């Protein structure tokens, strides 16, 4: 059955059926109910392409991912998959585009070519030229993370500062006095990557508040770097008993190094942090951590973007997620 047959059965014009289904123009409640009754009886489902054309939209959203030359972390890969799944529930397709550096042309084509109705921007920096470009273009977008300026658009973020501080307080409550932070790579800090900067701020403030001896190091997103990092930390601070990390990719190396150096977990060393649940559960013993709610962040981002596409001038909405620490088996009182 096509839209013409729906119109004939309902006794209205084709345009009235289109307006009733798309919501582009007002249709009386009585007429709308009559049309919807016919639609329900006929099991009619509008063709996606035709519906998009009628609505003046592509029914496609863009997802700006880190450059293709960069290896995506498990959290990033999980977020991409979760965005695709969430978009499908909204009957939206997803166009992936790398952004940053030599890939700016791809990003610019997405913005100016109107190939998408809106954009989800990953890996946001405190001062992000991509976010500024999207604001200037009037393209509806939602950021994963938020910039430093108060005029930020819609965003969904995890409270890295507060969660890392909670990890510090957890170690302090157990009696640890000398702790360290294993952060993301140094270039992330230099570029103003939000989670890395806010993790460092939360760690420093909480350690100072509890009077702890604290040090922070950057670490590449790989297991071998995690191993080297732990060796260097324990060489410089043999009295170190606790660790907080936001670098999940380094965790296998962290575990190997502690085992090799005779630092039994949690008997002689405690490890906690903010990481994906999969990595926390794969750690030995399972990691006490604030689990990153990847699927929820993706769901909220797609939901906000869908709202933004329908109402571009609606006030900006900000979602800051925070989760309690999942107490597993990797933390305990210092020996």
């Amino acid at each position: 059955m096509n839209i013409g047959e729906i119109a004939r059965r309902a006794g209205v014009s084709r345009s009235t059926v289109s307006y009733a289904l798309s919501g582009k123009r007002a249709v009386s409640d009585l007429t709308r109910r009559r049309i919807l009754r016919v639609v329900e009886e006929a099991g009619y489902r509008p063709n996606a392409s035709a519906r998009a054309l009628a609505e003046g939209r592509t029914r496609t959203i863009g997802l700006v991912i880190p450059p293709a030359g960069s290896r995506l972390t498990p959290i990033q890969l999980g977020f991409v998959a979760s965005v695709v799944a969430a978009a499908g529930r909204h009957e939206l397709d997803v166009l992936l585009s790398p952004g940053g550096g030599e890939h700016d042309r791809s990003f610019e084509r997405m913005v100016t070519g109107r190939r998408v109705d809106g954009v989800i921007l990953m890996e946001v920096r405190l001062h992000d030229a991509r976010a500024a470009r999207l604001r200037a273009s009037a393209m509806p977008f939602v950021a994963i993370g938020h910039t430093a300026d108060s005029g930020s658009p819609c965003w969904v973020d995890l409270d890295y500062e507060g969660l890392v501080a909670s990890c510090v307080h957890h170690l302090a409550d157990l009696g640890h006095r000398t702790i360290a932070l294993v952060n993301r790579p140094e270039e992330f800090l230099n570029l103003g990557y939000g989670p890395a900067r806010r993790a460092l701020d939360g760690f420093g403030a909480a350690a100072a508040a509890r009077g702890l001896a604290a040090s922070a190091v950057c670490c590449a997103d790989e297991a071998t770097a995690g191993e080297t990092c732990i060796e260097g930390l324990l060489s410089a601070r043999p009295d170190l008993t606790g660790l907080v990390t936001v670098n999940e990719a380094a965790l296998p190396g962290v575990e190997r190094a502690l085992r090799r150096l005779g630092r039994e977990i949690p008997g002689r060393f405690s490890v906690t942090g903010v990481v994906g649940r999969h990595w926390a559960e794969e750690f030995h013993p399972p990691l006490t951590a604030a689990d990153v709610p990847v699927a929820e962040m993706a769901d909220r981002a797609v939901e906000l973007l869908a709202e933004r596409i329908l109402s571009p001038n609606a006030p900006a909405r900000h979602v800051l997620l925070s989760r309690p620490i999942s107490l597993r088996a990797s933390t305990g009182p210092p020996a």
Side-chain angles (χ1 to χ4, degrees):
M1 177 177 289
N2 57 33
I3 199 169
E5 182 62 17
I6 296 290
R8 188 188 67 76
R9 291 193 184 189
V12 297
S13 67
R14 292 170 59 96
S15 60
T16 300
V17 174
S18 177
Y19 296 149
L21 296 179
S22 68
K24 289 185 66 174
R25 291 190 185 180
V27 176
S28 72
D29 289 341
L30 181 62
T31 300
R32 179 179 288 104
R33 285 197 298 270
R34 187 163 71 247
I35 291 170
L36 293 178
R37 186 165 58 249
V38 172
V39 167
E40 183 178 355
E41 291 171 353
Y44 172 74
R45 189 172 183 84
N47 175 272
S49 298
R51 185 169 69 246
L53 183 62
E55 295 172 352
R57 303 210 309 266
T58 67
R59 299 201 69 81
T60 300
I61 61 173
L63 177 60
V64 180
I65 61 176
S70 302
R71 185 176 62 184
L72 297 184
T73 68
I75 281 184
Q76 291 169 337
L77 289 171
F79 182 78
V80 171
S82 296
V83 165
V84 171
R89 291 192 289 272
H90 286 265
E91 297 188 349
L92 297 170
D93 294 323
V94 179
L95 174 65
L96 299 182
S97 175
E102 71 275 18
H103 298 281
D104 283 343
R105 287 185 179 180
S106 174
F107 173 70
E108 191 64 24
R109 284 196 301 272
M110 179 181 285
V111 175
T112 59
R114 293 295 167 178
R115 300 156 68 191
V116 297
D117 299 322
V119 170
I120 294 176
L121 183 63
M122 290 177 61
E123 305 299 313
V124 172
R125 303 167 186 172
L126 297 181
H127 303 282
D128 201 305
R130 301 168 304 164
R133 177 70 183 90
L134 285 166
R135 277 201 299 269
S137 74
M139 169 77 74
F141 79 102
V142 174
I144 304 303
H146 60 288
T147 58
D149 61 275
S150 58
S152 295
C154 291
W155 52 258
V156 179
D157 204 356
L158 188 63
D159 184 13
Y160 277 92
E161 186 170 348
L163 291 175
V164 167
S166 294
C167 291
V168 171
H169 289 302
H170 172 64
L171 291 176
D173 290 342
L174 289 171
H176 293 270
R177 306 305 302 166
T178 306
I179 64 172
L181 169 71
V182 173
N183 207 334
R184 299 294 299 280
E186 185 174 4
E187 59 265 30
F188 282 35
L189 278 177
N190 295 338
L191 289 170
Y193 176 57
R197 289 298 322 174
R198 294 184 173 104
L200 182 61
D201 292 343
F203 179 79
R210 298 300 293 265
L212 307 183
S215 53
V217 295
C218 291
C219 180
D221 289 336
E222 55 186 25
T224 54
E227 197 165 358
T228 302
C229 186
I230 292 300
E231 292 171 351
L233 278 171
L234 289 176
S235 175
R237 299 296 302 268
D239 57 340
L240 192 68
T241 63
L243 183 74
V244 180
T245 185
V246 291
N247 192 326
E248 60 178 20
L251 277 173
V254 169
E255 180 187 331
R256 285 199 301 266
L258 289 173
R259 186 185 303 118
R260 180 164 45 79
L261 294 170
R263 296 298 186 105
E264 179 190 357
I265 306 170
R268 294 195 61 207
F269 203 90
S270 289
V271 184
T272 183
V274 183
V275 302
R277 182 175 179 178
H278 166 76
W279 287 93
E281 293 177 344
E282 288 293 312
F283 196 78
H284 299 289
L287 190 72
T288 291
D291 302 334
V292 178
V294 175
E296 182 179 359
M297 293 179 74
D299 287 346
R300 298 296 292 273
V302 173
E303 178 185 333
L304 282 181
L305 184 58
E307 293 175 2
R308 199 74 177 166
I309 290 169
L310 290 175
S311 304
N313 298 319
R317 291 177 57 192
H318 302 150
V319 178
L320 185 64
L321 299 175
S322 184
R323 290 291 177 272
I325 295 176
S326 296
L327 297 176
R328 297 187 177 99
S330 66
T331 53

